[in-house]
Amino acid sequence: MSATEKAFGLVRTIFAYQERMDGLDDKFAALSGDVVRLTESHVALRDRVSRIEGLIEGAAMAARQPRIEG
């Protein structure tokens, strides 16, 4: 193998490596977007559960209060 063939092989290897790294960048960007959407969904779910808990606690407190009838 001549020095020129080795140099071309090295350049080809570098380009292949760069393509793989570009592919990983795309995958990491997609993963980042997925994590952002998951976080937003989690926050929305937490808010909904908090509201439901508030309604349940309010109903329980209202049931324990004696009623004044007049």
Side-chain angles (χ1 to χ4, degrees):
M1 210 181 216
S2 71
T4 306
E5 290 174 349
K6 288 181 183 179
F8 282 130
L10 181 61
V11 169
R12 191 174 25 237
T13 302
I14 290 171
F15 282 137
Y17 179 74
Q18 183 62 43
E19 286 178 14
R20 283 190 226 148
M21 297 313 291
D22 290 343
L24 283 177
D25 285 343
D26 294 340
K27 288 180 182 178
F28 280 131
L31 182 60
S32 176
D34 291 345
V35 170
V36 167
R37 284 189 299 279
L38 181 61
T39 302
E40 291 169 351
S41 174
H42 177 71
V43 168
L45 180 61
R46 183 194 63 202
D47 291 344
R48 290 177 64 195
V49 168
S50 294
R51 284 193 304 269
I52 292 169
E53 286 175 340
L55 288 171
I56 292 171
E57 288 176 7
M61 287 194 319
R64 287 191 297 247
Q65 296 291 328
R67 294 187 182 192
I68 301 174
E69 296 183 23

